[in-house]
Amino acid sequence: MVLNSLDKMIQLQKNTANIRNICVLAHVDHGKTTLADCLISSNGIISSRLAGKLRYMDSRKDEQIRGITMKSSAISLHYTKDNEEYLINLIDSPGHVDFSSEVSTAVRICDGCIIVVDAVEGVCPQTQAVLRQAWLENIRPVLVINKIDRLIVELKFAPQEAYSHLKNILEQINALTGALFTSKVLEERAERETESQGNSSSEQGEQVYDWSTGLENTDDSHLYFSPDQGNVVFTSAIDGWGFGIEHFAEIYSQKIGIKKEVLLKTLWGDYYINMKAKRIMKVDQAKGKKPLFVQLILENIWSLYDAVLKKDKEKIDKIVTSLGLKIGAREARHSDPKVQISAICSQWLPISHAVLAMVCQKLPSPLDITAERVEKLMCTGSQTFDSLPPETQALKAAFMKCGSEDTAPVIIFVSKMFAVDAKALPQNKPRPLTQAEIAQRRERARQRHAEKLAAAQGQAPLEPTQDGSVLETNPKGEEPRGNEEQVESMTPKPVPQEESNQESFVAFARVFSGVARRGKKIFVLGPKYSPVEFLQRVPLGFSAPPDDLPPVPHMAYCTLENLYLLMGRELEDLEEVPPGNVLGIGGLQDFVLKSATLCSLPSCPPFIPLNFEATPIVRVAVEPKHPSEMPHLVKGMKLLNQADPCVQILIQETGEHVLVTAGEVHLQRCLDDLKERFAKIHISVSEPIIPFRETITKPPKVDMVNEEIGKQQKVAVIHQTKEDQSKIPEGIQVDSDGLVTLTTPNKLATLSVRAMPLPEEVTQILEENSDLIRSIQQLTSSLNEGRNTQMIHQKTLEKIWEFKGKLEQHLTGRKWRNVVDQIWSFGPRKCGPNILVNKNEDLQNSVWPGPVSKASKEVTKYRDLGNSIVSGFQLATLSGPMCEEPLMGVCFVLEKWDLSKFEGQGANDKQNQEQSDLVKEGQRGDETRSSGDENQELQDGCPEPCEKRTVQKGEASLSDCYGPFSGQLIATMKEACRYALQVKPQRLMAAMYTCDIMATGDVLGRVYAVLSKREGRVLQEEMKEGTDMFIIKAVLPVAESFGFADEIRKRTSGLASPQLVFSHWEIIPSDPFWVPTTEEEYLHFGEKADSENQARKYMNAVRKRKGLYVEEKIVEHAEKQRTLSKNK
């Protein structure tokens, strides 16, 4: 097939029904890029001999070195089938887990995907992840089982064994699809049930719950992969062959004389042929017969491989002539059997035909977008489609129609920005010169030569040039002026030197509706833009003229400068792009950060954010080697942030520039980009900054030697807690059950706070629903301030009450009674996994939206003070007492909040006078009592703490010396929370990776050794059927994971490679402050107890990094230095 011209592509783009936007998804090293090479070679863009070796879509240098894809890149291919011409926009995506964010960007702008599975390795962890991503985006998958040649050459399977192995792989994939489908059906059914319950009062009586109803009547046959449905292709991309069942059904229907339709149904599955009767039987009549798939298809391929590998020349010639192929003399004589195989097979079973025919038949065109997908795309956060403004809902029709009329709204989604060298842009490329220009340049060169000669002889004559103007020549050798400007305007102007190596950003986008034209003005909607807010700010509504709009947050107005056709490593200029196509847009770098929605109407909502599988967790601090280059680094990091969908750039309070990435490979790529492309300076990188969380637990029942903590040991424990408490400063009261009471510096308010650990399930629920919590906070704040609540939609409210119900379900028991109703705030950042509970009777303040309970005067009086308390709680949860890391899974209960003196202080002087006289006596009594043993008082916990120590006569006017009262409340609340934590058993929480390792049986021991050395824990280990591979699932602390992949590869000689994905937070069981207290512990650990304490090691490392005080001796055992001369 010849290389297509740009005009042909532009013509194909207009026929929306024949466009296919597809991406190739798979586990790492399953052959995506090789498959893409084969498809590209069918268009003549690369030679078919180089397919699989060139890896055309991997345009980065580090991708070629490492042999893995690191970014999604698109290319447009032309394919003709049954006189229909198709345009296929193919996107190759990475398989490595660190770059799964790139997969999300690709999946969003496609309508279908090719899932590639290695025939030997089968379904791997990342295969499951990409299937789930495709499912979440509602795009249709087809399956390519690749590397069939490995079954023949490496595993040496017989055709029958290969058939059962392939059946196995198909079953595994269909089981995954089935699980995804089941969960979706059950979710929908649950939703329908809740709606119907709301509409009709349910009859009293026992209802039998049958979970399978709804599954039986939903048709899911179209979901599964089966060769007889035509959505599975068997390939070997490296050898350039592939087939679907139709190909063989056609051949054999002519040969055997059985109808093609019958063969299509029976070529896969346990069907057997009776050659005498020319009938296909379901049952194996003569024992030992082979299924059709084995007999008619696999055996032929096996015999071809057999002949070529054994170099049986006669048999090869016989096969070639019987298939009617022509093999070049070079290939026939070649000593490498691989070359011969690919020469024969690529003609007999061309892979591009098999795969592209399946894509065109089975995958939808942009016109077939489902209503469900459109609604999902348009609803961000906890909104539902029905709650959007009517103008916005009207856009759904435009999506479905995908119309290219002038009236159709233009809707484009930018899924990522990618950096391109400015020289690679089409407008900056040098174009070939015409004959006239070449002649002109030759003339100029001749004149210059003549001038140089004249200058050398010391005379500079004035010569008339072609157009009669006089050329002045200076002895200094300056360039001649004259018609030079004319010539320069014909050739492209060279880019100035400093800009020549600049990066230019191109948006990776797709047109969903309308025609994108160069120079068109368009709205850029950020992820947080809301059409509802636009209506509130713009009085004219959506029909307002776009040029003189008031500023609306998260919305900009810009022009589409350049449109490009993405052709792998090349870009081609386009004037306009019809709907349904993938394109590149230049000139958006100032308007779009990572992704955005472009629309010609402001009523369009921003598309739902991309869902990333991998969470960025690996952080490093970067700084330039030479401090003077700091501005370059800042600029470079801004560009890197824009160019990578997953990376995060932070500037911490300490002033460090922090880079947050998804894993080690991703981190390495980001650092290389910073050094070589974006900042172009030498940078020094810190050790990885490992995130921890702080929490508290229930008091342990057993001590460190697994002895039950009994009474005789209690003495020692109490003795230890007394020591601990003596560290707590004066003026703080601690009860025996951990209630901490603290007074503000001006002695006007008293707070009593207790900290309690939350159950694990609750912490998990809070983490999962952080978006919902954020919207709850917004709702309550707008309700409290009496603003319009923007018509809370019923569905949102339902979600809130469902979330509340979940919390109530898990927080049961005496100590959690009514706690859920009294939740005042979540933290840190108002949406974290910690809660503040208010048990104060005076101020009933709750986070749940509902009618405002108290009289408004009362509420406003307390609100400011309440906000101060919440701010104190937010600060306390943001940095805990152990090593200033955020808290997790802690519930702070505000038991008492005494503001009586603050209220009294507002009264007139007379009352103040009386009050202070009355109090003097109480204070004297108080002083005598406080002179007693401080420790004793702390232990007993006085019931009325500090309340009697009131202001003296003149102090009321001086209370301002402590600063504003709200500030004092914030500080006091923060301190109270921290002390409440310190009186409970504190623990560190470490971030954990789930680690999937595929290894052969003989290196299992080494894998286990590396895991146990790095504090890993194996969860399960299973053997893959039909192979000698084991799959090991383990968890590993992020802190121990650096260099883990390299170490495993080294120890197992490259036979095992791990995939690390962040999964959860886990409490480190050891107490960082533990010292031996009981006799057994002294015996077991020794007096110093200097055996390694994992939690203390981590805690001290973090404290050192943050410059906090670390309690450790520099010299443990000092002794006299030994010199070489006197060995004493």
Side-chain angles (χ1 to χ4, degrees):
M1 204 180 277
V2 292
L3 182 60
N4 293 294
S5 65
L6 183 61
D7 303 337
K8 177 79 179 164
M9 288 295 184
I10 292 171
Q11 179 197 332
L12 287 171
Q13 281 190 339
K14 293 189 172 120
N15 184 0
T16 317
N18 284 2
I19 296 172
R20 298 287 182 272
N21 296 318
I22 57 165
C23 51
V24 191
L25 309 175
H27 186 80
V28 67
D29 281 338
H30 278 202
K32 293 177 295 301
T33 309
T34 308
L35 176 67
D37 267 8
C38 295
L39 303 182
I40 294 165
S41 72
S42 71
N43 268 225
I45 296 169
I46 62 172
S47 148
S48 56
R49 282 196 196 126
L50 288 176
K53 300 180 187 74
L54 187 64
R55 301 207 308 280
Y56 182 74
M57 300 299 268
D58 290 355
S59 51
R60 292 171 58 100
K61 192 178 164 189
D62 48 0
E63 287 181 314
Q64 290 288 349
I65 293 167
R66 275 183 188 263
I68 58 172
T69 309
M70 294 187 184
K71 59 169 188 346
S72 301
S73 37
I75 190 161
S76 296
L77 304 176
H78 167 232
Y79 176 68
T80 311
K81 178 176 180 283
D82 307 333
N83 300 327
E84 284 277 328
E85 291 192 330
Y86 291 92
L87 174 70
I88 293 171
N89 294 319
L90 178 81
I91 302 176
D92 183 28
S93 67
H96 195 287
V97 65
D98 282 10
F99 305 108
S100 59
S101 56
E102 292 278 350
V103 177
S104 308
T105 62
V107 166
R108 169 59 59 89
I109 58 180
C110 290
D111 300 305
C113 62
I114 300 176
I115 305 260
V116 184
V117 176
D118 184 332
V120 175
E121 291 184 6
V123 177
C124 292
Q126 208 50 29
T127 318
Q128 301 179 18
V130 293
L131 252 178
R132 191 167 55 249
Q133 273 177 307
W135 181 263
L136 287 173
E137 286 284 354
N138 288 24
I139 69 170
R140 197 178 303 166
V142 289
L143 182 66
V144 168
I145 297 185
N146 193 17
K147 304 196 184 185
I148 303 274
D149 60 302
R150 287 182 67 190
L151 299 179
I152 309 173
V153 182
E154 282 178 36
L155 300 185
K156 304 207 168 13
F157 276 1
Q160 181 73 46
E161 291 173 312
Y163 169 63
S164 52
H165 181 73
L166 292 172
K167 243 170 64 170
N168 224 339
I169 290 177
L170 266 176
E171 275 169 24
Q172 288 175 8
I173 294 186
N174 286 333
L176 279 177
T177 313
L180 291 167
F181 173 72
T182 311
S183 62
K184 180 185 169 209
V185 170
L186 294 180
E187 267 174 35
E188 283 178 357
R189 190 172 134 248
E191 274 176 25
R192 277 203 300 276
E193 270 184 12
T194 47
E195 280 170 20
S196 62
Q197 277 176 11
N199 299 344
S200 62
S201 56
S202 55
E203 308 94 45
Q204 292 300 315
E206 268 186 46
Q207 291 183 330
V208 182
Y209 188 79
D210 175 20
W211 66 271
S212 62
T213 49
L215 276 177
E216 282 144 15
N217 16 358
T218 27
D219 176 35
D220 57 352
S221 57
H222 62 281
L223 288 175
Y224 298 116
F225 299 109
S226 172
D228 51 3
Q229 283 195 23
N231 59 3
V232 180
V233 162
F234 303 93
T235 65
S236 165
I238 199 78
D239 289 342
W241 60 265
F243 64 88
I245 276 182
E246 294 104 84
H247 179 77
F248 281 99
E250 265 172 39
I251 297 172
Y252 284 115
S253 64
Q254 292 157 10
K255 273 198 174 179
I256 309 173
I258 296 176
K259 283 184 188 165
K260 184 182 167 187
E261 291 75 35
V262 177
L263 277 172
L264 274 176
K265 289 201 177 79
T266 54
L267 264 176
W268 178 262
D270 295 329
Y271 295 98
Y272 305 87
I273 191 162
N274 183 336
M275 288 305 273
K276 286 177 188 165
K278 295 223 169 161
R279 286 186 56 206
I280 290 169
M281 311 289 185
K282 183 82 177 114
V283 194
D284 182 4
Q285 288 169 328
K287 288 279 173 273
K289 280 208 106 184
K290 296 158 189 156
L292 283 179
F293 188 73
V294 176
Q295 193 180 349
L296 302 182
I297 301 176
L298 293 186
E299 284 190 346
N300 292 322
I301 294 170
W302 255 246
S303 62
L304 169 66
Y305 268 81
D306 191 49
V308 175
L309 292 172
K310 286 182 179 165
K311 304 203 170 165
D312 185 343
K313 192 146 184 3
E314 286 174 21
K315 196 173 174 189
I316 295 172
D317 292 342
K318 190 179 166 192
I319 291 172
V320 170
T321 48
S322 71
L323 291 172
L325 309 175
K326 288 191 176 71
I327 301 297
R330 177 180 170 279
E331 279 88 1
R333 283 201 306 271
H334 207 288
S335 58
D336 183 5
K338 281 275 184 192
V339 174
Q340 287 191 343
I341 286 176
S342 69
I344 298 169
C345 292
S346 56
Q347 289 183 46
W348 173 37
L349 303 169
I351 183 171
S352 57
H353 176 74
V355 174
L356 295 178
M358 170 173 75
V359 162
C360 296
Q361 268 179 342
K362 294 291 164 194
L363 294 183
S365 75
L367 292 173
D368 304 332
I369 188 166
T370 58
E372 184 186 8
R373 185 176 180 203
V374 174
E375 288 185 18
K376 211 167 165 189
L377 285 179
M378 292 170 79
C379 302
T380 46
S382 53
Q383 278 180 323
T384 50
F385 185 71
D386 313 332
S387 66
L388 296 168
E391 292 93 339
T392 304
Q393 291 188 33
L395 287 176
K396 179 178 164 185
F399 264 106
M400 305 288 290
K401 192 178 172 200
C402 208
S404 54
E405 313 85 48
D406 290 343
T407 51
V410 181
I411 304 172
I412 304 172
F413 180 73
V414 175
S415 74
K416 67 167 185 172
M417 303 291 284
F418 63 97
V420 180
D421 195 347
K423 289 179 198 153
L425 294 176
Q427 62 264 35
N428 296 342
K429 278 188 187 166
R431 58 182 178 74
L433 298 169
T434 61
Q435 283 294 321
E437 286 170 351
I438 292 171
Q440 243 171 350
R441 288 196 168 189
R442 195 184 294 125
E443 184 63 32
R444 272 168 54 210
R446 200 178 53 72
Q447 286 172 8
R448 261 190 218 144
H449 186 60
E451 281 158 25
K452 271 185 190 168
L453 284 175
Q457 292 162 11
Q459 43 186 304
L462 299 179
E463 297 178 25
T465 58
Q466 286 174 326
D467 58 351
S469 65
V470 175
L471 268 173
E472 288 181 35
T473 57
N474 326 357
K476 289 176 190 171
E478 276 183 20
E479 300 236 333
R481 303 174 199 112
N483 68 339
E484 191 149 333
E485 277 115 38
Q486 243 183 337
V487 180
E488 221 168 75
S489 64
M490 294 174 192
T491 58
K493 290 192 179 171
V495 191
Q497 188 52 44
E498 67 270 15
E499 281 181 32
S500 62
N501 49 13
Q502 261 195 355
E503 297 295 328
S504 180
F505 278 92
V506 175
F508 190 59
R510 168 175 166 183
V511 186
F512 279 92
S513 158
V515 181
R517 289 189 173 82
R518 180 189 286 191
K520 183 173 175 62
K521 296 245 181 211
I522 202 158
F523 290 104
V524 179
L525 316 174
K528 291 183 183 170
Y529 168 78
S530 155
V532 180
E533 200 171 341
F534 180 89
L535 280 178
Q536 289 172 356
R537 287 177 178 253
V538 182
L540 291 169
F542 295 130
S543 54
D547 295 322
D548 47 355
L549 280 178
V552 177
H554 311 293
M555 184 174 95
Y557 195 53
C558 77
T559 312
L560 296 177
E561 286 180 18
N562 297 305
L563 306 178
Y564 302 117
L565 175 69
L566 303 169
M567 289 298 287
R569 303 179 183 189
E570 309 289 320
L571 294 170
E572 299 287 350
D573 254 332
L574 295 174
E575 282 303 316
E576 59 174 49
V577 180
N581 281 292
V582 173
L583 79 160
I585 307 174
L588 286 181
Q589 60 255 50
D590 301 334
F591 299 99
V592 178
L593 180 62
K594 292 183 188 231
S595 66
T597 311
L598 313 181
C599 185
S600 52
L601 301 174
S603 57
C604 180
F607 283 17
I608 183 170
L610 299 165
N611 44 2
F612 294 145
E613 284 279 317
T615 3
I617 190 95
V618 180
R619 321 170 149 237
V620 291
V622 285
E623 58 181 22
K625 281 262 172 69
H626 309 295
S628 58
E629 294 176 327
M630 195 66 188
H632 291 292
L633 178 73
V634 174
K635 190 175 162 199
M637 286 182 89
K638 271 188 186 158
L639 293 175
L640 174 68
N641 187 27
Q642 197 165 14
D644 193 304
C646 184
V647 78
Q648 291 176 11
I649 308 287
L650 312 168
I651 297 180
Q652 292 192 319
E653 298 88 48
T654 51
E656 286 178 305
H657 287 72
V658 174
L659 202 63
V660 194
T661 58
E664 276 189 279
V665 186
H666 187 212
L667 171 66
Q668 196 52 53
R669 191 196 79 171
C670 289
L671 293 175
D672 289 347
D673 275 356
L674 250 189
K675 287 178 205 163
E676 289 159 24
R677 294 181 70 177
F678 300 127
K680 296 196 176 70
I681 56 170
H682 292 293
I683 53 178
S684 37
V685 183
S686 72
E687 284 294 303
I689 300 168
I690 298 130
F692 289 98
R693 295 281 181 268
E694 297 182 25
T695 189
I696 51 175
T697 55
K698 291 175 180 158
K701 300 242 180 350
V702 290
D703 61 13
M704 291 291 279
V705 283
N706 287 341
E707 291 270 341
E708 202 171 322
I709 296 179
K711 282 199 174 131
Q712 93 273 7
Q713 296 156 329
K714 263 260 164 77
V715 184
V717 176
I718 285 173
H719 166 71
Q720 182 204 348
T721 49
K722 276 194 179 179
E723 277 180 18
D724 279 0
Q725 283 182 340
S726 60
K727 291 176 193 166
I728 290 178
E730 291 179 29
I732 295 163
Q733 308 257 328
V734 181
D735 265 8
S736 53
D737 63 344
L739 181 71
V740 171
T741 305
L742 203 61
T743 313
T744 52
N746 61 8
K747 306 282 188 291
L748 286 185
T750 308
L751 305 173
S752 302
V753 178
R754 174 182 286 120
M756 302 198 297
L758 283 172
E760 264 182 51
E761 303 85 21
V762 176
T763 315
Q764 211 172 338
I765 292 170
L766 292 175
E767 274 204 296
E768 286 163 5
N769 292 299
S770 58
D771 286 344
L772 186 61
I773 294 173
R774 212 176 268 126
S775 49
I776 293 176
Q777 290 277 9
Q778 284 165 359
L779 275 178
T780 12
S781 61
S782 59
L783 274 171
N784 286 347
E785 288 161 24
R787 279 187 293 146
N788 176 19
T789 59
Q790 303 175 359
M791 297 188 332
I792 316 162
H793 197 262
Q794 196 56 37
K795 280 262 175 75
T796 317
L797 272 179
E798 275 172 24
K799 277 186 189 165
I800 293 174
W801 298 128
E802 184 192 345
F803 166 61
K804 189 178 176 185
K806 271 190 200 163
L807 288 181
E808 280 168 347
Q809 186 184 333
H810 289 290
L811 292 173
T812 49
R814 190 172 52 81
K815 63 172 181 177
W816 296 112
R817 193 173 296 143
N818 297 338
V819 157
V820 179
D821 292 322
Q822 296 166 338
I823 293 178
W824 190 358
S825 178
F826 299 91
R829 302 198 173 85
K830 296 203 172 176
C831 60
N834 304 288
I835 53 180
L836 172 64
V837 172
N838 173 25
K839 288 208 169 166
N840 205 30
E841 291 304 315
D842 302 342
L843 182 69
Q844 289 293 318
N845 203 340
S846 164
V847 76
W848 307 111
V852 180
S853 50
K854 288 219 167 188
S856 54
K857 275 187 186 176
E858 189 104 346
V859 172
T860 44
K861 182 174 78 175
Y862 275 121
R863 185 181 298 131
D864 297 338
L865 303 179
N867 286 348
S868 302
I869 297 263
V870 170
S871 302
F873 159 75
Q874 298 292 352
L875 286 174
T877 49
L878 195 57
S879 56
M882 274 199 283
C883 49
E884 304 289 330
E885 290 286 305
L887 300 184
M888 186 168 189
V890 183
C891 167
F892 289 106
V893 183
L894 183 63
E895 297 275 357
K896 283 208 280 291
W897 178 16
D898 184 27
L899 285 171
S900 50
K901 306 193 185 88
F902 174 67
E903 292 161 18
Q905 199 218 358
N908 56 25
D909 283 27
K910 186 181 169 190
Q911 281 177 319
N912 259 351
Q913 187 70 38
E914 284 172 23
Q915 201 179 350
S916 58
D917 288 343
L918 269 171
V919 165
K920 267 185 186 174
E921 296 161 40
Q923 207 172 9
R924 280 188 206 113
D926 225 39
E927 278 163 9
T928 51
R929 219 187 66 182
S930 64
S931 62
D933 177 22
E934 179 71 33
N935 253 348
Q936 190 57 44
E937 184 188 325
L938 285 178
Q939 209 53 38
D940 297 347
C942 63
E944 298 154 16
C946 313
E947 284 167 16
K948 293 192 181 117
R949 301 181 199 170
T950 343
V951 238
Q952 283 179 351
K953 201 183 280 181
E955 214 173 272
S957 55
L958 287 173
S959 68
D960 286 349
C961 73
Y962 295 110
F965 184 61
S966 55
Q968 292 178 46
L969 262 183
I970 292 176
T972 310
M973 181 65 186
K974 181 186 169 191
E975 291 304 305
C977 290
R978 290 186 82 145
Y979 289 129
L981 272 181
Q982 282 172 312
V983 296
K984 294 282 169 122
Q986 299 180 73
R987 294 285 183 275
L988 267 185
M989 294 182 88
M992 302 298 272
Y993 276 138
T994 45
C995 165
D996 292 287
I997 306 171
M998 292 187 69
T1000 49
D1002 45 352
V1003 294
L1004 266 190
R1006 295 177 203 166
V1007 171
Y1008 276 87
V1010 176
L1011 271 172
S1012 58
K1013 175 183 155 193
R1014 291 174 173 264
E1015 308 283 331
R1017 200 173 68 243
V1018 175
L1019 302 178
Q1020 69 179 86
E1021 164 201 317
E1022 57 183 46
M1023 190 171 186
K1024 280 204 100 114
E1025 275 184 51
T1027 64
D1028 59 344
M1029 300 294 276
F1030 284 85
I1031 297 182
I1032 301 156
K1033 272 195 164 26
V1035 285
L1036 179 81
V1038 173
E1040 303 288 339
S1041 70
F1042 300 102
F1044 173 71
D1046 287 341
E1047 188 177 356
I1048 273 208
R1049 276 195 210 100
K1050 277 178 198 158
R1051 292 287 295 277
T1052 61
S1053 319
L1055 289 174
S1057 57
Q1059 286 259 20
L1060 298 171
V1061 189
F1062 172 70
S1063 89
H1064 65 286
W1065 295 91
E1066 195 171 280
I1067 295 178
I1068 302 171
S1070 52
D1071 180 358
F1073 300 111
W1074 179 81
V1075 285
T1077 50
T1078 64
E1079 207 168 316
E1080 283 86 353
E1081 286 178 345
Y1082 272 121
L1083 284 171
H1084 191 279
F1085 292 101
E1087 203 168 320
K1088 289 206 166 59
D1090 44 12
S1091 58
E1092 185 78 310
N1093 177 341
Q1094 197 65 27
R1096 187 180 304 155
K1097 188 180 88 176
Y1098 289 149
M1099 181 180 84
N1100 286 346
V1102 176
R1103 289 186 75 92
K1104 265 185 194 161
R1105 194 190 79 233
K1106 294 187 172 179
L1108 303 168
Y1109 169 67
V1110 178
E1111 217 174 291
E1112 60 179 3
K1113 294 175 184 168
I1114 306 296
V1115 178
E1116 192 72 34
H1117 304 291
E1119 56 180 47
K1120 201 163 77 175
Q1121 182 187 357
R1122 290 187 159 190
T1123 58
L1124 288 172
S1125 56
K1126 292 179 182 177
N1127 279 337
K1128 286 178 183 173

